[in-house]
Amino acid sequence: MKSDKKIAVVDFGGQYAHLIASRIRRLGAYTEILSNEEPLSVYASYAGIILSGGPSSVYEKGAPLLPDGFFQISVPILGICYGHQLLMKALGGEVVSSNAKEYGPAILEIQNSDSLLSKSLSPRTKVWMSHGDEVVRMPDGFQIVASSDHCRYAFVSNESKKQFGIQFHPEVTHSEEGEVLLRNFVNLCNVGSSWSISQFLEEQIVSLQKKVPPGKNVFLLVSGGVDSSVAYLLLAKALGKDRVKGLLVDTGFMRKNEVKDLMDNLHHVGFDLTIWDESEIFYKHLKSEFEPEKKRRIVGDLFLEAQGKATDSLGLDSEHWLLGQGTIYPDTIESGGTKHSHKIKTHHNRVPQIEKLIQEGKIIEPIADLYKDEVRELGRLLGLPERWIERHPFPGPGLVVRMIASPESKPPVIDFSDLELSKKKAEVKILPILSVGVQGDQRSYAHCAVLNDFTTNWHELDECSVEITNFKKEINRVVFAPGISQFTGSFHYTKLTLDKEHSDILREADAIVNRILYEEAIHTSIWQMPVVLVPVGLRANSYGVVLRPVESTEAMTANFYAMDRKILERITKELLALPQISLVLYDLTHKPPGTIEWE
């Protein structure tokens, strides 16, 4: 396809570069990801260019830039977040570190509805922010199109040159009219109708047939989730069922009855599946570990060892068998998979040994360019049953990343009295442990704030959560304690280890929650609901359970799900009936600044 029919996305290492590309594709225009160091002639050959966000600050030494003369190119340019700040600074504007970091929802007020890019946008529209720097002066020739409470230059334009800068992220589903804005840009570039999932399917079948020549077969690591199931069906369609085998490694960190359910369900759709029980080995190697990155690396390495044992046992030699994985795009981008990106977490299918095999051409990843919503669409095209497509995503490392074995950490002393939440009768305590989050495209490892159950109004709880994470940088998560109207005692820390005993506690809690989700028929309203075991309770020798239901489509961003309080009451009551559980917490954090999983 000629490049003048495509839109280029220049990747500055933000989490969202490929998400931008995915959104544009879904609007029917083909996109390609470029680095920021291409020759000018390459950029000039595209129909339009989008500059992505990124973790750097444009005023810092060594920040990624663009070649001289880039902004003289006569094609439409849209700068998003870091791309917006770079556009402003390069043309003579000014960018500084902001007093109020913005992570999460903001209201955009349109001041110029005649802009080529603001057509059909509502006068007030909800957008998603994730930035710590801001533009304080525009270059000559630019005008304000829209502002938010904390950001005067949230949307600016030079209409005659078709150059636009926006501080928010239109590519995430939480920017409610982001698609309208991106469609305006696609129309401005005069491109469309060059991308669809059915087209991807046709092209990928041809590609897989080239990558896996006759005489070679694929041995796929199957988790039972939608990704690996779709990867299996796609490989089977491209190569024939007899050339694809599935391996399910039982790590000991699976859900309750998961292995039996998977065997029953996957055999129905023709999977050739081998179960390999490695639970004792996983318990042995993980028992005393707590550091999130190390845990993920151990899981990735043990998966490979298990795969090696299984292939030897089944007689699958490396001459004739390639290793397959159901990796999707967020796994690679969050593992630091692009030039300027910061590592947020290493996915178990992106540990160094796997990366080496990828470079050697020994791994096949048929859906690595897709996002979860696209994988589900592909699954429908391939005939995967709807009940399987609707399954909540479950992490490859399983319950390993839902057991927070963090040592006790002294909470920082934080004054919350300067925040609005102090007027709402909200009390705030801080958990004595750390969890992973993502702030401004960078991984954070910080404390979690706990609110009392001071209101049944989800909007008020949301406001408190956003305010705390925006203004208190030591906090990357906010939860509340359903049923606890005021805190009377302190939290008790009880050491938690990654062994069968503690896995069984979490399995029971997870099974209770999932049973209730299905009984109350809300499982399809929730995109994913991690149930997390934490080493903190309200009495000695007991633990807490964190409920983390989120709404999302692509895992790059998410907002917490506002559950019916009667259902939450039911879940809380049943969890507290477990003898080892004395505390239930409900996660109110959006992504960013909190990751979906706690690790």
Side-chain angles (χ1 to χ4, degrees):
M1 192 186 300
K2 287 171 65 181
S3 54
D4 63 1
K5 299 293 180 198
K6 305 173 188 172
I7 290 175
V9 176
V10 181
D11 181 12
F12 288 104
Q15 293 181 76
Y16 302 151
H18 284 256
L19 183 51
I20 298 165
S22 168
R23 288 282 169 262
I24 297 290
R25 287 184 203 170
R26 292 181 82 75
L27 292 169
Y30 194 75
T31 45
E32 286 179 344
I33 306 287
L34 299 181
S35 85
N36 62 309
E37 295 170 353
E38 306 287 348
L40 269 183
S41 57
V42 170
Y43 300 118
S45 67
Y46 282 82
I49 300 171
I50 298 176
L51 310 177
S52 86
S56 305
S57 292
V58 291
Y59 47 77
E60 286 175 347
K61 191 178 179 190
L65 303 172
L66 286 158
D68 290 343
F70 177 89
F71 293 104
Q72 276 66 59
I73 293 172
S74 60
V75 301
I77 293 173
L78 171 60
I80 297 174
C81 200
Y82 179 87
H84 160 59
Q85 293 161 9
L86 182 61
L87 172 70
M88 295 293 95
K89 188 170 184 298
L91 292 174
E94 188 181 354
V95 180
V96 298
S97 178
S98 170
N99 290 329
K101 319 288 185 199
E102 274 191 300
Y103 301 112
I107 298 297
L108 193 71
E109 301 219 19
I110 306 292
Q111 294 167 33
N112 174 15
S113 56
D114 296 327
S115 168
L116 294 165
L117 218 56
S118 64
K119 278 181 193 167
S120 306
L121 288 179
S122 304
R124 282 169 57 84
T125 183
K126 191 175 175 184
V127 296
W128 195 264
M129 296 282 192
S130 180
H131 68 104
D133 294 333
E134 67 173 322
V135 175
V136 291
R137 182 167 48 81
M138 290 187 297
D140 293 342
F142 279 80
Q143 60 179 336
I144 294 175
V145 179
S147 304
S148 73
D149 278 352
H150 296 293
C151 188
R152 188 180 173 200
Y153 302 111
F155 184 171
V156 302
S157 75
N158 182 324
E159 299 291 323
S160 61
K161 291 191 173 175
K162 295 183 180 173
Q163 294 179 340
F164 307 89
I166 54 176
Q167 186 56 72
F168 56 94
H169 290 272
E171 69 274 19
V172 305
T173 49
H174 307 305
S175 286
E176 290 178 348
E177 296 180 309
E179 191 171 294
V180 175
L181 188 147
L182 291 174
R183 183 177 280 112
N184 286 342
F185 189 73
V186 168
N187 292 340
L188 197 61
C189 299
N190 296 316
V191 289
S193 306
S194 53
W195 166 257
S196 67
I197 284 291
S198 53
Q199 186 181 331
F200 169 85
L201 175 58
E202 289 171 24
E203 290 170 359
Q204 195 64 350
I205 286 171
V206 172
S207 172
L208 288 169
Q209 289 166 347
K210 284 180 186 165
K211 283 179 185 168
V212 190
K216 279 197 184 285
N217 304 315
V218 178
F219 186 61
L220 184 79
L221 292 175
V222 174
S223 68
V226 69
D227 302 336
S228 56
S229 302
V230 170
Y232 186 102
L233 291 176
L234 177 52
L235 285 162
K237 187 171 179 69
L239 308 175
K241 281 186 179 179
D242 54 334
R243 292 177 62 193
V244 188
K245 271 186 183 292
L247 171 72
L248 179 75
V249 177
D250 183 354
T251 64
F253 293 96
M254 309 285 279
R255 285 176 149 156
K256 191 175 179 180
N257 301 327
E258 179 88 347
V259 176
K260 182 183 181 302
D261 290 349
L262 292 177
M263 284 295 286
D264 293 347
N265 281 292
L266 294 181
H267 278 305
H268 285 313
V269 285
F271 273 53
D272 178 349
L273 190 63
T274 300
I275 305 289
W276 197 262
D277 187 349
E278 288 283 288
S279 52
E280 290 306 316
I281 302 278
F282 273 74
Y283 288 142
K284 180 183 163 193
H285 283 80
L286 286 160
K287 186 169 183 177
S288 59
E289 298 298 340
F290 65 86
E291 206 284 312
E293 279 293 285
K294 194 169 180 192
K295 281 163 64 174
R296 285 175 175 274
R297 282 198 301 274
I298 289 169
V299 168
D301 290 343
L302 291 178
F303 261 120
L304 271 183
E305 283 178 29
Q307 175 256 328
K309 288 184 217 168
T311 50
D312 289 347
S313 169
L314 296 167
L316 309 177
D317 63 286
S318 59
E319 282 297 299
H320 300 98
W321 290 85
L322 295 171
L323 180 65
Q325 292 194 140
T327 309
I328 64 171
Y329 193 73
D331 300 347
T332 56
I333 191 73
E334 289 190 340
S335 298
T338 54
K339 183 172 179 186
H340 298 291
S341 61
H342 280 247
K343 182 182 289 182
I344 288 158
K345 60 187 177 190
T346 298
H347 286 257
H348 72 285
N349 46 18
R350 273 293 173 274
V351 295
Q353 273 182 278
I354 292 278
E355 293 286 10
K356 185 168 178 286
L357 289 172
I358 290 170
Q359 285 162 11
E360 292 169 0
K362 292 179 179 171
I363 287 199
I364 294 293
E365 297 182 311
I367 55 172
D369 293 333
L370 300 184
Y371 293 86
K372 185 71 75 173
D373 53 340
E374 294 171 328
V375 174
R376 288 193 163 118
E377 201 178 324
L378 182 60
R380 289 186 181 96
L381 284 179
L382 289 166
L384 192 65
E386 195 63 31
R387 70 177 188 284
W388 213 249
I389 288 167
E390 282 179 0
R391 289 194 87 201
H392 286 185
F394 189 64
L399 300 179
V400 169
V401 293
R402 295 183 178 175
M403 297 170 70
I404 310 304
S406 166
E408 190 167 9
S409 168
K410 195 169 189 270
V413 177
I414 302 174
D415 179 11
F416 293 100
S417 64
D418 57 332
L419 302 184
E420 287 290 316
L421 62 91
S422 60
K423 299 174 187 172
K424 297 175 179 170
K425 297 185 182 166
E427 290 180 50
V428 191
K429 293 187 83 167
I430 300 174
L431 288 185
I433 54 168
L434 299 169
S435 85
V436 173
V438 49
Q439 291 172 294
D441 287 324
Q442 299 183 40
R443 181 183 190 271
S444 67
Y445 196 40
H447 284 89
C448 170
V450 186
L451 297 170
N452 61 322
D453 193 353
F454 70 95
T455 178
T456 56
N457 183 323
W458 285 108
H459 182 64
E460 280 190 17
L461 289 165
D462 184 15
E463 284 179 338
C464 290
S465 171
V466 169
E467 188 182 24
I468 290 170
T469 52
N470 273 359
F471 291 98
K472 304 296 176 184
K473 66 178 187 304
E474 308 93 331
I475 300 291
N476 66 0
R477 277 183 196 278
V478 178
V479 299
F480 87 103
I484 300 177
S485 56
Q486 63 183 116
F487 299 118
T488 51
S490 57
F491 292 124
H492 291 263
Y493 173 86
T494 304
K495 187 174 166 58
L496 189 161
T497 51
L498 275 68
D499 54 17
K500 185 173 188 302
E501 179 194 345
H502 290 96
S503 301
D504 284 343
I505 296 171
L506 180 51
R507 259 187 279 278
E508 284 304 319
D510 180 74
I512 286 169
V513 173
N514 278 285
R515 170 174 53 76
I516 294 173
L517 293 189
Y518 277 81
E519 285 174 2
E520 298 283 358
I522 59 169
H523 63 286
T524 52
S525 308
I526 295 168
W527 187 76
Q528 186 177 5
M529 187 166 175
V531 176
V532 184
L533 190 67
V534 293
V536 181
L538 291 181
R539 60 175 188 266
N541 302 314
S542 69
Y543 302 100
V545 168
V546 180
L547 306 174
R548 174 64 167 151
V550 296
E551 297 173 315
S552 183
T553 54
E554 74 304 282
M556 303 304 282
T557 63
N559 57 272
F560 76 82
Y561 171 79
M563 186 178 289
D564 181 295
R565 288 300 289 251
K566 284 195 173 66
I567 300 174
L568 177 54
E569 202 176 304
R570 184 185 167 195
I571 290 174
T572 303
K573 188 177 174 186
E574 288 204 34
L575 288 174
L576 290 174
L578 294 173
Q580 308 92 337
I581 304 301
S582 64
L583 175 66
V584 174
L585 300 169
Y586 193 100
D587 199 330
L588 300 168
T589 324
H590 300 295
K591 177 186 179 181
T595 45
I596 292 175
E597 298 289 349
W598 266 51
E599 289 189 341

